[in-house]
Amino acid sequence: MKILAIETSTEACSAALLCDGDIEERFEIAPRGHGDLILNMVDSLLANAQMKPQQLDAIAFGRGPGAFTGV
């Protein structure tokens, strides 16, 4: 199973990729910096796994509450 997890509802910005039992993550405390960080985090995780978004089985995300809702 390949699952991408994204969390942007707090001051921390994070993304993680579960790929066939292995987990890789990116995390940074960045108040108001989520928009600049999250897509690069996702791109980095997928590139390291040599995957394209179409190969994901699911995307998980925190839906808040939080100030960052643009993603």
Side-chain angles (χ1 to χ4, degrees):
M1 174 127 322
K2 297 167 180 70
I3 302 173
L4 175 66
I6 299 169
E7 178 58 65
T8 59
S9 65
T10 67
E11 290 186 350
C13 181
S14 63
L17 180 64
L18 170 68
C19 186
D20 301 325
D22 294 323
I23 299 173
E24 187 173 351
E25 56 87 20
R26 303 288 184 271
F27 175 88
E28 189 169 333
I29 301 292
R32 302 187 187 268
H34 298 67
D36 295 327
L37 295 172
I38 194 64
L39 294 179
N40 289 330
M41 288 179 173
V42 169
D43 286 343
S44 172
L45 289 168
L46 293 175
N48 283 352
Q50 298 179 341
M51 288 180 55
K52 295 181 180 182
Q54 299 88 335
Q55 294 173 281
L56 292 169
D57 294 306
I59 298 174
F61 61 93
R63 64 177 258 204
F68 187 74
T69 58
V71 175

